[in-house]
Amino acid sequence: MGDKSLQEAMTEATAGWYYALCDGLHLDSTKFQLAQGNGIPFGTTSDYLWEAMDAIPPYSATNVWGTSRSMFSSGYGDVLLSLQDPPDSEFQQALGENYDPWQQYLSAYTWQTGDTYESVFRSWARRYYPPNEIDTLVGEMEQDTPVTAARAMWAKVGTSGTKAYVPSYDMLADTMRTAPAAKVSYSNTQSTKTFKDTWAQGNAEMYLDIFGGEGTTSYEQTSQKAFNGAISIDLTVAHALVVNVTPLYETNNDPTLSKYAPWYDSAVLSSAFRNQTNQDEIWNPQGETSWADAFGPKGFMRYITTDIVVVDGVTMTMTVKAEFDEHDQTTISGEYATGLWPFFFSEGSAGAKYSLDHVDSSGFSVTFTSMEGNYLILGANVEDAATALGS
């Protein structure tokens, strides 16, 4: 067994693999976050794809999926509830004593398919104003009430509704067919990389085990031997694609997306970020969420997923050269299919398969395959709020 601890040896190996992926897939290490976990293959529907897009990334160059994750849409909703339109707007002044009844009506309204902020206002306003005045009020409303409009759009989806993103799964599949192939080669004997030069400045959460299943202390010894040995990986993918993450902000004619209501207003969230000192008075002093809660040093929206990295048609062979006793060999034979570093995909997840090519006292070799049409998420691109939302 080598001299390095499991954590030290595994961190160095994962950092080397991280940079090998960046080189082979032409990814930017100032943005890329490596994903690890059994839940990353996402089948043939949009739901898991959108869940991946919705995840708020931790401050880490790696992200262990399958654990509890904060969602961007939930954070966005929390921010909205603590915002307000600038007081004394022309719209508010024009409504006068009818402003509070309008706010009460809007808060209690049950949104229906096809409703818009304007159509709901017009329906309410007909009991108070003649048609020509309503047209004038609508013009002022669209200019002076961006927060109320965003909250109305959010209310149509609700806290329990599916938060759709662009693209849908079918849109991604159409693009994936013509995405380029890629190759990645890695050897830990040739790598001296660390995570300190990534956007996360050395922070990296990860499994401390070569296996993805339920580990025991006996697995730690096998893992430590493996990561102190010589590890080499050859990876080929038929298609690799960086997919932009776009919350659904307007109605979309895509057959899947047309079934979902838009829920996001980027201008309102950007305005919230730019108002750290609340110079425009859009943060409600009585709100439960403050600017610091959302965007500060420990804020829940400090970092945002801007792209996900998806591959298709994967073949990976990993060879480990190390001294393994009979217990180690039995452990490897029994655990490799539960998920194996560096992916930790379990066998059977969206077509993932493992083949134990050999295992003996001098090492082992495993081949991982995922057929075309079984897309895998390798990671994401991450930006801080200032970059993503605009300072």
Side-chain angles (χ1 to χ4, degrees):
M1 185 181 299
D3 295 330
K4 295 178 183 176
S5 68
L6 175 58
Q7 180 169 355
E8 181 183 4
M10 191 168 183
T11 300
E12 289 182 0
T14 305
W17 172 244
Y18 171 97
Y19 279 101
L21 282 178
C22 288
D23 290 342
L25 301 181
H26 307 293
L27 303 172
D28 186 347
S29 63
T30 66
K31 297 181 179 180
F32 181 58
Q33 182 179 70
L34 174 65
Q36 296 181 318
N38 290 331
I40 302 172
F42 58 89
T44 58
T45 65
S46 297
D47 289 353
Y48 193 89
L49 172 65
W50 293 342
E51 183 181 343
M53 292 178 169
D54 201 32
I56 291 180
Y59 182 49
S60 170
T62 58
N63 188 353
V64 178
W65 289 37
T67 58
S68 176
R69 287 177 286 168
S70 298
M71 295 294 142
F72 175 82
S73 58
S74 298
Y76 171 74
D78 289 342
V79 170
L80 278 186
L81 293 177
S82 293
L83 300 180
Q84 61 186 3
D85 289 310
D88 300 323
S89 67
E90 292 184 11
F91 175 70
Q92 183 173 344
Q93 293 177 30
L95 286 185
E97 62 183 15
N98 289 330
Y99 181 76
D100 286 342
W102 159 238
Q103 293 294 300
Q104 293 168 8
Y105 177 85
L106 189 62
S107 297
Y109 184 77
T110 301
W111 290 84
Q112 306 296 324
T113 302
D115 282 342
T116 65
Y117 179 46
E118 178 182 333
S119 69
V120 173
F121 175 76
R122 287 183 178 277
S123 177
W124 170 84
R126 280 196 290 268
R127 70 185 70 177
Y128 297 100
Y129 303 97
N132 62 321
E133 289 188 29
I134 293 175
D135 289 340
T136 301
L137 289 170
V138 166
E140 293 176 349
M141 177 187 70
E142 292 176 342
Q143 180 178 351
D144 296 337
T145 62
V147 172
T148 302
R151 290 175 67 168
M153 184 164 58
W154 173 258
K156 292 177 65 175
V157 179
T159 57
S160 61
T162 298
K163 311 305 184 297
Y165 280 77
V166 181
S168 67
Y169 175 88
D170 289 338
M171 293 168 69
L172 182 148
D174 287 342
T175 307
M176 183 66 83
R177 294 186 183 98
T178 57
K183 294 183 178 181
V184 178
S185 295
Y186 164 72
S187 171
N188 69 339
T189 61
Q190 300 174 356
S191 173
T192 57
K193 298 287 188 179
T194 70
F195 285 112
K196 69 177 182 178
D197 294 325
T198 68
W199 63 272
Q201 299 179 353
N203 291 285
E205 62 175 40
M206 65 186 70
Y207 292 118
L208 289 179
D209 196 335
I210 197 171
F211 306 112
E214 295 294 328
T216 67
T217 55
S218 61
Y219 297 175
E220 180 177 340
Q221 297 178 5
T222 304
S223 297
Q224 188 171 3
K225 291 177 182 179
F227 283 104
N228 275 282
I231 301 176
S232 61
I233 296 176
D234 289 307
L235 170 76
T236 61
V237 299
H239 306 285
L241 189 63
V242 177
V243 183
N244 183 247
V245 171
T246 305
L248 189 62
Y249 63 94
E250 62 181 0
T251 55
N252 192 297
N253 292 328
D254 171 72
T256 299
L257 288 171
S258 63
K259 302 173 185 177
Y260 295 91
W263 56 273
Y264 180 66
D265 189 320
S266 61
V268 167
L269 189 61
S270 293
S271 180
F273 177 80
R274 290 194 301 269
N275 271 262
Q276 182 175 0
T277 61
N278 207 19
Q279 63 271 20
D280 296 329
E281 299 184 72
I282 68 168
W283 285 92
N284 188 335
Q286 280 73 50
E288 294 185 2
T289 301
S290 68
W291 188 97
D293 293 333
F295 305 115
K298 296 183 179 180
F300 55 77
M301 205 172 281
R302 181 183 175 190
Y303 291 96
I304 295 172
T305 299
T306 57
D307 308 276
I308 59 171
V309 180
V310 185
V311 293
D312 184 30
V314 178
T315 300
M316 182 188 76
T317 298
M318 180 172 69
T319 300
V320 179
K321 295 181 179 180
E323 294 183 5
F324 293 123
D325 59 26
E326 290 188 12
H327 175 77
D328 297 321
Q329 296 172 50
T330 300
T331 298
I332 293 165
S333 298
E335 295 297 323
Y336 74 93
T338 65
L340 198 67
W341 183 88
F343 292 149
F344 298 104
F345 302 148
S346 58
E347 187 166 82
S349 297
K353 296 181 180 180
Y354 288 95
S355 172
L356 183 60
D357 302 324
H358 83 270
V359 57
D360 55 32
S361 60
S362 62
F364 70 93
S365 179
V366 171
T367 298
F368 168 90
T369 58
S370 180
M371 302 298 291
E372 288 193 45
N374 298 310
Y375 304 149
L376 306 177
I377 299 175
L378 290 189
N381 285 334
V382 176
E383 292 182 352
D384 59 33
T387 303
L389 301 177
S391 55

